[in-house]
Amino acid sequence: MRNALFGPAMVVIMTGGTAMAQPANPTYSLNGTPGLLEMPTAQSAAQGTFALTVSYVEGFGRTTLNFQVTDRLSLSLRYGFIDLYDDPTSQTLESEFARGFDLRYRLNDETAFLPSVAIGLQDFLTPGRLGAEYVVASKTVGDNLTVTAGLGWGGLATRNGFTNPFSGLQTRPAFDVAEPEGQLTSDQWFHGDAALFGGLEYQINDKWGVKAEYSSSAYPETPFKPAIKTDSPYNLGLTYRPAEGVQLGLGYLYGNSVAVSGSLSLNANNRPGMSGRESAPAPVNVRPANDRSWDQDAAPPHALRSALATLLEREGITVTQLAISGDTARLRYINTRYRSQAQAMGRAARMMTQVMPAAIEVFTLEPEAAGIPLSATTIRRSDLEQFENRPGAAEVVYQRADFGDADLAPGLTDLPAGTPAFAWGLGPYFTLIPAASGGSVTVDAGLSLRGVYRLQPNLVLSGAIGQSLINAAKKDPVPDSTPDIQNVRTDAVYYGDDGVPVLQNLALAYYARPGRDLYGRVSGGYLEPMFGGISAELLWKPVQSRLGLGIEVNYAAQRDTDMLFGFDEYDYDTVTGHVSAYYDFGNGYHTQLDVGRYLAGDWGATLSLDREFDNGVRVGGYVTQTDMAYTDFGDGSYNKGVRVTIPQDFLTGKATQSAFATTLQTQIGDGGARLAVDGRLYDLVRDAHTADLSDTWGRFWR
Amino acid sequence: MGTVLAMKINSWICAAAAMALVACGPLNEDTAASRIMGQATARIMGTPPPASTGLGITQEQVLANPGQFMRVNIRNFDQWDTMAQTGQNGRRVTWVNGNNISLTLQDGIMVATRGLPRDLMGAETAETRQAIRAGGGIAQRTHEYITDVDAISSELLQCRIASQGAEAIEMLHETHNSVRFEEKCAGEKLEFTNVYWVNARGTIIRSLQAVSPDAGYLQIDVF
């Protein structure tokens, strides 16, 4: 049956884009940034690339998350365990925990004659044990060879240093142990001696490459700096990339040590799940041109609702209400399957063409969550009929749709039939607790049994019981270095360390729409592992606005460390709360500012900035500054962290709302600590509002 | 038996069909709803013999019901599937298989797919059809795809259609006389060659048509 004549036509070729002459993806150094072995290059990964690199050489293990924010700007967060020289340097401190941030900016694109040049800051917050700055140039020669030369300062100028070419920056201040951690080391940047470094990288084929570098880091014996002995300035390496996004490396460093590394990279603009693999939607059912009738005896409204509900349930869409008046059908529904609300909306609208009488011309779609309607999108049925599968269909429907607040008049609806009021789940949990004292990280992992009971659509009781499997050993208390400050977070390691099941949370949450553009929430109970109390929140967020404003007030009491029902151990309660502003810049950047009072009674603000890709991949960071003294806070000075979210459908292409999310905090201190309440309003409502709908509107017809 | 088969297929259409059958039983009270749902399900599924689904169609059934079914080979999966009519919008007919992959054709030329790794979201292909009718010529096409960041990307393609002469083809053990046409298309980011076999009445009875680089080609046999 197979026809041999099909042979020549078998390949659809994507020209342009990928085929255009673009530099191959750079390899990653032991430091987890595009580079040689320990020396940086001026290369950049493709915009939107995350890379996680783990590397080890004797005395120094490190894990780096590198993110290429723009074509030219990249940021890195590094955790490491490193041997340091003590004071005196005759002794060493073994496997000290170190954190650091890097930043690199590439100044130009490489041309036929000019190299690309980049400027970088390495480990630029105190204590900055690897602190260094550099200017570096890289040039490709032919297809496979890259030549790099650079000028380094600080840690990159400890071999054959010479007088700083910038005459005003001759002396680099010595590292001050007393300085609180997490401050910008700007007084050191590009100060002191400079030194030259350089190297070559040759890509033998798609998979194998070799590197050689002359390192300007000699690791001299300096108190609290890396205790690494070097016998040679030359480092050699081999890289193997067996698959896209995977790099394995082997190196010979300092003339005396073997180094190994592994990198996994992922480009947020290059979705492994492609356009998604979910099954086809129902097609549009086109009405005959001369029929705009509705036989109410044959198709009474309750029957339409029942039929539509049954058909949409197959699409993961739960119908809660259907109201028909005049030529308009208004559907309220819960999207339980699709990450994109626009996609759920498109599927609901097409199914309505299958069920609704021909007289109905206008569809109003109201997504609902936590029992409250989030928005209303009004679409003309004739547009669906006219533009289905036509080029420009998504754009036309978007332009002609009306976006606004949901109609609040009818009040809340009944529990949808067929949806069980009780749901439960058993799954693993995993928590990293970066302890404030001792600079160590504690891992807590185990099983969590969660239950949700929906008393009303908008009144939900939820709870979780956890059983720790790792870290189920009693912790010995360490002396409290800041007795004046309540240990609102620094005692986290003592919570649930008895090895018996604990109550992670058990709370009742009530959601409401107090008025147009207004959303409300009241939660009470054991809100989080360390605190219980009452939390009330009000959010103003017009559907078409990029700005949202919120206020939250909580009364919280600290729970006992056995994580049962008591509040006696600490006898600490407080009023905490914030006013918050949320703004979507519309170009993939999203920001949030919270100003208010934190759990330990300190006043301050948290600023968050996230880069959000329209496919749901998010990477962001936040900083919190409060009026608590740096010394009281502990050695992190202020709260800061990095968070990454990758939707599951990004990886698999299967329609789901699940996502992998993690927050890497550099430090948990008692300052700038917020109550961890579930179900905050902004995250609940935003994906049904115009800004988020427009981000994924391409999925309306999918 | 049809119900059992349908339950194996992880798709809402078949499950909805199964439920429609259940909903017809005497225990069902909301008869108007089950009738509306049954009508919608029948529309979405087309009107093949009711106990069968797109997957359970035999070759004899395909041949005995001309115009009701297509046989499609998704070349990337190297798998033959029968598709049944599920919707019609003007001259555009949508077909679906048992795995809930759908395909929309206008006069035999593909204008949309759903359920493939990189769907053709929509297309304008009328000029290609005219060129085939004219025995060859040039045509402009527009294709739309979903990007990896959920936007729509539009590709404008310039195509050249040429007849390659008569060719006898075999479909389900029946020989058909046809004229073979080749269409070479190129755009800024995309290049492909489609092949059409057109019978004496001018119907495209077999074709090999490109969806996208990720989804590859579909071979479509029309009966």
Side-chain angles (χ1 to χ4, degrees):
Chain A
M1 190 63 214
R2 184 80 59 79
N3 195 329
L5 292 168
F6 291 150
M10 279 310 294
V11 186
V12 192
I13 304 165
M14 191 59 106
T15 57
T18 51
M20 272 194 332
Q22 276 190 353
N25 289 329
T27 56
Y28 290 87
S29 71
L30 298 173
N31 270 327
T33 61
L36 295 158
L37 288 125
E38 288 198 317
M39 300 294 113
T41 63
Q43 295 162 305
S44 302
Q47 185 257 322
T49 302
F50 300 87
L52 184 72
T53 300
V54 180
S55 72
Y56 182 77
V57 61
E58 193 182 345
F60 194 8
R62 56 202 125 161
T63 300
T64 309
L65 181 68
N66 174 262
F67 178 57
Q68 191 71 37
V69 185
T70 68
D71 273 345
R72 296 186 173 184
L73 177 70
S74 70
L75 296 172
S76 307
L77 166 65
R78 185 174 306 106
Y79 285 80
F81 289 93
I82 185 164
D83 294 350
L84 299 176
Y85 288 112
D86 204 347
D87 194 7
T89 58
S90 54
Q91 294 183 336
T92 57
L93 304 161
E94 306 235 317
S95 289
E96 288 290 304
F97 184 64
R99 298 164 276 262
F101 289 92
D102 297 356
L103 181 156
R104 180 187 297 177
Y105 188 79
R106 187 166 51 79
L107 301 167
N108 66 316
D109 292 333
E110 183 182 330
T111 67
F113 301 105
L114 283 176
S116 57
V117 177
I119 184 165
L121 301 174
Q122 188 170 296
D123 199 3
F124 60 80
L125 298 181
T126 56
R129 293 184 173 107
L130 300 171
E133 304 81 44
Y134 57 86
V135 177
V136 64
S138 294
K139 177 82 186 77
T140 52
V141 180
D143 290 338
N144 302 326
L145 181 67
T146 307
V147 181
T148 293
L151 191 58
W153 287 263
L156 284 169
T158 49
R159 188 194 304 282
N160 293 337
F162 49 83
T163 306
N164 198 327
F166 304 114
S167 56
L169 312 173
Q170 295 303 336
T171 44
R172 191 175 180 100
F175 169 57
D176 180 2
V177 193
E179 204 169 334
E181 219 177 275
Q183 307 294 301
L184 290 174
T185 54
S186 50
D187 59 335
Q188 306 202 348
W189 295 348
F190 301 101
H191 282 65
D193 281 359
L196 291 170
F197 63 87
L200 302 171
E201 177 170 9
Y202 183 76
Q203 198 66 36
I204 299 164
N205 55 34
D206 285 351
K207 292 184 173 171
W208 293 94
V210 287
K211 302 172 169 185
E213 71 180 10
Y214 172 83
S215 166
S216 56
S217 296
Y219 301 105
E221 286 189 23
T222 312
F224 310 114
K225 289 284 186 178
I228 292 171
K229 290 249 183 308
T230 58
D231 297 328
S232 162
Y234 297 102
N235 299 327
L236 303 171
L238 180 69
T239 56
Y240 175 57
R241 293 189 281 189
E244 194 180 325
V246 181
Q247 178 194 321
L248 300 172
L250 188 65
Y252 185 67
L253 267 66
Y254 324 130
N256 58 26
S257 296
V258 170
V260 290
S261 70
S263 302
L264 292 174
S265 62
L266 186 76
N267 187 339
N269 291 303
N270 193 357
R271 180 162 52 194
M274 295 181 274
S275 68
R277 302 280 312 256
E278 56 272 28
S279 60
V284 173
N285 176 40
V286 182
R287 296 166 292 174
N290 53 1
D291 178 14
R292 292 293 179 267
S293 65
W294 179 14
D295 179 353
Q296 297 222 23
D297 295 330
H302 71 91
L304 294 172
R305 185 197 152 171
S306 170
L308 187 62
T310 309
L311 288 167
L312 279 177
E313 200 59 48
R314 305 282 130 203
E315 296 267 37
I317 294 169
T318 305
V319 173
T320 60
Q321 197 176 59
L322 177 67
I324 301 176
S325 67
D327 67 346
T328 301
R330 192 159 64 86
L331 177 72
R332 195 172 285 181
Y333 63 93
I334 304 164
N335 163 27
T336 66
R337 181 174 301 166
Y338 303 98
R339 172 180 53 79
S340 159
Q341 284 283 12
Q343 182 168 10
M345 200 172 275
R347 290 192 172 225
R350 272 170 291 187
M351 198 59 89
M352 286 174 87
T353 69
Q354 294 287 349
V355 173
M356 288 296 122
I360 305 302
E361 165 61 17
V362 178
F363 297 159
T364 296
L365 297 141
E366 297 187 354
E368 170 185 319
I372 54 173
L374 307 176
S375 65
T377 302
T378 300
I379 290 166
R380 299 199 79 81
R381 184 176 187 172
S382 43
D383 287 345
L384 300 176
E385 293 170 341
Q386 186 181 349
F387 295 105
E388 185 192 25
N389 296 330
R390 300 282 172 180
E395 181 66 20
V396 170
V397 172
Y398 182 77
Q399 293 301 337
R400 296 194 185 185
D402 285 325
F403 300 95
D405 200 353
D407 186 350
L408 303 179
L412 292 160
T413 55
D414 293 326
L415 197 71
T419 303
F422 180 74
W424 64 277
L426 180 67
Y429 74 89
F430 181 81
T431 319
L432 279 178
I433 308 167
S437 50
S440 65
V441 176
T442 303
V443 175
D444 183 16
L447 284 174
S448 180
L449 177 66
R450 296 186 306 114
V452 175
Y453 185 68
R454 217 165 263 279
L455 299 150
Q456 294 281 322
N458 61 333
L459 183 63
V460 182
L461 180 69
S462 60
I465 295 167
Q467 170 64 61
S468 182
L469 299 174
I470 301 171
N471 180 38
K474 264 254 187 258
K475 301 288 181 310
D476 292 328
V478 293
D480 188 352
S481 58
T482 56
D484 299 339
I485 308 294
Q486 177 65 24
N487 289 353
V488 294
R489 287 293 178 224
T490 47
D491 281 357
V493 288
Y494 308 126
Y495 273 76
D497 69 345
D498 293 334
V500 296
V502 298
L503 185 68
Q504 289 170 322
N505 59 282
L506 178 65
L508 191 63
Y510 172 76
Y511 292 87
R513 291 294 314 266
R516 188 178 161 78
D517 301 331
L518 292 175
Y519 302 81
R521 171 186 60 83
V522 178
S523 314
Y526 298 88
L527 296 167
E528 56 139 301
M530 294 182 72
F531 286 87
I534 292 176
S535 168
E537 185 187 2
L538 184 69
L539 174 72
W540 172 84
K541 174 71 180 68
V543 170
Q544 301 216 54
S545 170
R546 294 194 172 279
L547 176 71
L549 298 172
I551 182 165
E552 180 182 296
V553 178
N554 314 302
Y555 167 76
Q558 190 157 2
R559 295 175 60 187
D560 294 346
T561 53
D562 62 9
M563 286 172 75
L564 296 175
F565 296 99
F567 292 96
D568 307 322
E569 197 174 329
Y570 287 92
D571 190 24
Y572 178 76
D573 60 292
T574 186
V575 173
T576 162
H578 290 81
V579 289
S580 302
Y582 311 85
Y583 191 76
D584 183 345
F585 288 100
N587 53 358
Y589 290 91
H590 201 284
T591 190
Q592 178 178 346
L593 177 67
D594 309 294
V595 179
R597 189 167 191 257
Y598 294 82
L599 274 173
D602 47 333
W603 290 82
T606 301
L607 179 67
S608 317
L609 181 68
D610 289 85
R611 170 76 174 95
E612 300 189 352
F613 295 83
D614 291 344
N615 55 27
V617 175
R618 296 178 185 176
V619 58
Y622 64 88
V623 291
T624 301
Q625 186 88 52
T626 73
D627 61 356
M628 189 181 284
Y630 288 154
T631 46
D632 286 340
F633 189 93
D635 56 7
S637 299
Y638 52 92
N639 240 333
K640 56 199 172 293
V642 169
R643 56 195 178 201
V644 177
T645 302
I646 298 174
Q648 206 168 304
D649 74 334
F650 177 85
L651 300 171
T652 64
K654 190 177 182 312
T656 169
Q657 294 175 336
S658 304
F660 304 104
T662 188
T663 299
L664 300 166
Q665 271 181 296
T666 57
Q667 197 80 31
I668 284 187
D670 292 323
R674 282 190 79 174
L675 196 64
V677 188
D678 272 346
R680 285 202 165 105
L681 290 167
Y682 186 73
D683 285 333
L684 189 77
V685 308
R686 59 172 288 189
D687 71 345
H689 284 203
T690 317
D692 275 20
L693 283 175
S694 72
D695 284 346
T696 63
W697 196 261
R699 301 199 78 79
F700 180 90
W701 288 103
R702 180 64 183 78
Chain B
M1 190 200 105
T3 316
V4 173
L5 184 64
M7 299 309 269
K8 287 183 185 169
I9 302 160
N10 184 20
S11 70
W12 68 261
I13 286 183
C14 298
M19 293 199 56
L21 294 177
V22 172
C24 297
L27 292 175
N28 196 293
E29 290 169 26
D30 205 347
T31 50
S34 60
R35 194 176 59 247
I36 296 165
M37 204 176 73
Q39 284 166 1
T41 311
R43 259 200 308 271
I44 297 162
M45 290 189 60
T47 46
S52 264
T53 69
L55 206 71
I57 306 295
T58 63
Q59 296 190 357
E60 289 71 29
Q61 283 175 298
V62 172
L63 292 171
N65 295 280
Q68 295 280 354
F69 303 107
M70 304 193 307
R71 283 178 36 90
V72 173
N73 188 341
I74 302 168
R75 305 297 292 232
N76 277 6
F77 305 157
D78 192 20
Q79 160 200 329
W80 279 102
D81 242 328
T82 304
M83 285 191 164
Q85 244 196 63
T86 169
Q88 181 159 6
N89 189 343
R91 302 176 70 82
R92 299 181 158 205
V93 180
T94 299
W95 305 75
V96 68
N97 75 359
N99 295 320
N100 247 341
I101 293 170
S102 81
L103 179 57
T104 304
L105 303 180
Q106 178 174 354
D107 298 332
I109 313 262
M110 184 160 61
V111 292
T113 65
R114 293 292 184 274
L116 292 172
R118 180 86 58 192
D119 279 319
L120 177 61
M121 291 302 294
E124 209 55 77
T125 59
E127 290 184 15
T128 294
R129 194 69 184 91
Q130 284 164 19
I132 292 172
R133 285 206 184 92
I138 56 167
Q140 190 167 289
R141 282 174 174 251
T142 312
H143 283 196
E144 281 195 348
Y145 299 98
I146 296 187
T147 68
D148 283 350
V149 287
D150 288 343
I152 295 290
S153 94
S154 186
E155 305 297 333
L156 189 64
L157 297 150
Q158 306 298 334
C159 306
R160 184 169 291 278
I161 296 98
S163 165
Q164 297 188 311
E167 190 173 303
I169 56 170
E170 194 184 332
M171 300 199 316
L172 291 185
H173 315 297
E174 289 182 358
T175 304
H176 300 261
N177 292 319
S178 73
V179 177
R180 176 182 161 127
F181 286 86
E182 213 170 79
E183 178 188 26
K184 287 184 187 296
C185 293
E188 206 180 322
K189 292 183 185 162
L190 201 60
E191 243 177 66
F192 57 83
T193 302
N194 286 350
V195 189
Y196 309 93
W197 287 263
V198 181
N199 70 8
R201 285 182 302 184
T203 305
I204 297 172
I205 52 171
R206 168 176 288 175
S207 56
L208 188 66
Q209 301 190 47
V211 181
S212 65
D214 294 319
Y217 279 87
L218 305 185
Q219 182 186 334
I220 303 161
D221 283 7
V222 177
F223 296 91

